Amino acid sequence: MEIIERTKEAYDGQSNVRKTISDYILSHTLQSCFFSLKEFSDAVEITEATAISYGKSLGFNSYLEMKKALQNYSMAEFSSQERLSMLSGQSSSFDGLFKRVERSEIGLLIAITMTPYGKPTFALAGVVKQSGMPVIAITDSNYSPGAVHEKVDELLSLCGLPPAADRYSTCDNA
């Protein structure tokens, strides 16, 4: 059963504190899935122990398991644009965004680069790579910064596509 269904099903039999937590999750699902235990507890104004207890009352073994269920639900229900907008909206700077991505449970970063190449893309790749997550670059040139960047684990170059699809490419077909 999905976490949102569990939350709604358990709602009527919950204490006022647990109803407050449920209300927060139901109205801030996307934000909740990126919160650490401390951030979630602070946002809902509860103790960390209460957040853990709440998750267990819904059948999760830990806060992390509940958070992953929220992430899975969010992946299915919200577009990548909505998820990225929410993440970037919570951060007032690129450093803040990098820290949020680093702390989240994202398993992979796909960096898409085309001219003009943006430095923030490679800075984000560096933070993600340092946290141990793999980075894949999709780029328009075998010589783009993304193709030669040391923070990239895998590379998919759009070079060599049929002429109609590769019309604006900077590929060097040697």
Side-chain angles (χ1 to χ4, degrees):
M1 182 184 319
E2 298 270 344
I3 185 168
I4 298 304
E5 293 170 347
R6 288 185 195 186
T7 303
K8 289 177 180 177
E9 188 174 283
Y11 191 86
D12 288 336
Q14 292 176 330
S15 68
N16 287 339
V17 171
R18 288 194 176 167
K19 284 182 180 179
T20 300
I21 299 168
S22 293
D23 290 339
Y24 189 87
I25 288 174
L26 293 172
S27 56
H28 300 93
T29 305
L30 187 55
Q31 293 86 342
S32 297
C33 80
F34 290 105
F35 285 153
S36 67
L37 175 58
K38 180 173 180 5
E39 289 170 327
F40 181 77
S41 300
D42 289 347
V44 186
E45 299 179 354
I46 56 171
T47 66
E48 292 176 21
T50 301
I52 293 167
S53 174
Y54 174 82
K56 288 186 177 189
S57 77
L58 294 180
F60 298 105
N61 293 319
S62 65
Y63 173 77
L64 183 58
E65 190 176 301
M66 182 177 79
K67 177 180 168 178
K68 285 184 179 186
L70 280 167
Q71 289 174 346
N72 290 338
Y73 176 83
S74 295
M75 290 292 287
E77 295 297 317
F78 298 98
S79 70
S80 57
Q81 174 81 28
E82 289 170 307
R83 294 188 308 269
L84 184 58
S85 293
M86 191 286 310
L87 259 180
S88 60
Q90 289 185 352
S91 303
S92 59
S93 67
F94 280 113
D95 288 338
L97 177 58
F98 298 156
K99 288 176 185 170
R100 293 200 65 77
V101 170
E102 184 177 34
R103 282 194 316 259
S104 73
E105 299 300 322
I106 298 171
L108 169 71
L109 173 72
I110 299 175
I112 302 172
T113 65
M114 295 183 186
T115 54
Y117 304 107
K119 289 181 183 179
T121 302
F122 301 110
L124 178 60
V127 170
V128 170
K129 180 74 174 169
Q130 284 178 347
S131 72
M133 288 183 270
V135 176
I136 295 176
I138 300 173
T139 185
D140 64 343
S141 169
N142 288 329
Y143 303 104
S144 76
V148 297
H149 207 275
E150 70 276 1
K151 294 173 177 69
V152 173
D153 292 303
E154 299 290 334
L155 173 69
L156 173 63
S157 176
L158 299 180
C159 296
L161 293 175
D166 201 21
R167 184 171 316 194
Y168 302 105
S169 174
T170 60
C171 296
D172 298 311
N173 295 324

